[in-house]
Structures are given as C-alpha cells and as structure tokens.
Amino acid sequence: NGQLPRRLSGHSGRHGRWCHRLFAVQKEGKIVAPGMIDLDDRMRAVFLNGFGQAGFEYFKSLKGAVKILLSIGRPFDIIDESKLSEECNYSTIVIPGSPYMDPETIDLLDTYIANGGMVLAAGTFAAYSAHGVQLDILPGFIGVENSKLSDMSVEYIAAIHESIGEGIPKMPILIKDAGELRDITATDSAKVLAYKCKPPFESTIERHVYHQHAHPFELTNYAEILQNDHGEGKCLYFTADIFRSYYET
C-alpha cells in the first residue's frame, strides 16, 4: 500500500521519513520489482542494547544500496522481514550491513535460499547479539568459517575471479569509509570470488603517506567476495560493506 510498517518507521526518525519519500516515488512510478532490500526493524535493539551509535550506521549502508540500485535502473521494493514469512516471489534479497539479525529472520532467510532464492549481503552480517555482544558463529548460509576484526581501516578488493571480473580493471579496488572491517576465512564449501589486499600499515600522523590511505601491499587469503551454494539457492557475500563505502565516497 505504499507505506512502511509503523513498527519500523516509528523508530527510525528522519531515516524513516526518507524511506517513506522513496516509497512514495516508487509507488507513483508503479514499479514492479524483481528484487528487494530487506530491513530488519530489530536493528533498534542493537542501538539500545550495546552496539551504540554504530547501530544507526546501518542507514548509510541502506542508502548506499538504494543509490546503487537507482543508478543502474533496477526496480526494487523495500520491505521488512515479515514478508519472508509469506510466499516470497522475489528472485533476490539484498541485505545492507546488518550487525544484528533476529534468529527467526535468519531461519527464514535460510529457508528462502534453500528453496532457490539468492541473497546478496554486505558488511558486518549477524555478527552481534541483540545486546551488542560479538557472536562466535555466523549464519551457515553465508559460507564463513572464521571472522575477526581487521586491524586496518581500509582494504582493497583484489584477485577478482573471471566469472565476475569482466570489464573490471585488473588492479586492487579501494574500500574505504566502510565502517567495521573483518578478516574473513571461507568454509570449504564456499567459493572465493575475490581476495583481500591490505596496505602495509595504517596511515597516521606518525606514518604519513601522500594519500589519505596507504597503498595496496599484501594479498591475503582472506575473502572479500564469496559465494556459497545452499540447497537450491546461493548467498553472495561482500565481506566489506560496499554499500556504505559507496554512499560515503
């Protein structure tokens, strides 16, 4: 009906009003969407129970995803997780950086992928509890074996697999202003489509470089992009929040 659920928009302040305006534009344009962006309204719990101001960094990731989809002319819907419990006709679900995700939502996404759906996720994904406590185990469908916080504030996407690399320059691609970065090791069943390249050091006053960030230096075994087949579907996971980085830069 062209409106966001009250339980979501009531807690999101100006960001909720921004989403309403976007939804109004979509409604007026009468767009029928093959894909969607999933909003987990329980992100508010992350802010209230320990994750602090970073809880609202989620909206930068959301807006970055929206800007990308609008710029390429891809129709989409913005929905909340309640739609996952209904008959889901979306071919793809795009999930911006979501530090906290309700266990019920994770189960619904697991079922959606197993039944042939595709999830495209980015950034810190379901890595914290509702109380802001870091979790040791991430959802199985994203294909992550180990995850730890990175010691760098920037990184580079490198060694991109040919299956997704057509037209992309064969050089490291800078990821900056993406929020929390993680060193991710993929499971044996997941396919790494790009690897992380780290700078030699963090650019500081004591170790200054002529750029805002240090140059690419070391190609690691950590995954930047990975694909994990799950049942009849798949999950494509960008370990850095490319949506927030796009919005910020």
Side-chain angles (χ1 to χ4, degrees), residues 143-160:
V144 171
E145 180 71 31
N146 294 303
S147 172
K148 64 178 182 178
L149 291 175
S150 174
D151 56 355
M152 297 291 178
S153 62
V154 302
E155 60 192 36
Y156 296 82
I157 301 176
I160 299 175

Side-chain angles (χ1 to χ4, degrees), residues 32-53:
V32 178
M36 72 172 179
I37 293 179
D38 178 44
L39 292 176
D40 192 331
D41 64 321
R42 294 178 178 84
M43 284 298 300
R44 178 172 177 266
V46 174
F47 175 77
L48 294 177
N49 295 328
F51 203 77
Q53 186 61 36

Side-chain angles (χ1 to χ4, degrees), residues 35-39 65 69 92-96 118-122 243:
M36 72 172 179
I37 293 179
D38 178 44
L39 292 176
L69 291 171
T92 302
I93 297 176
V94 179
I95 306 179
M118 177 175 176
V119 164
L120 193 160
F243 300 132

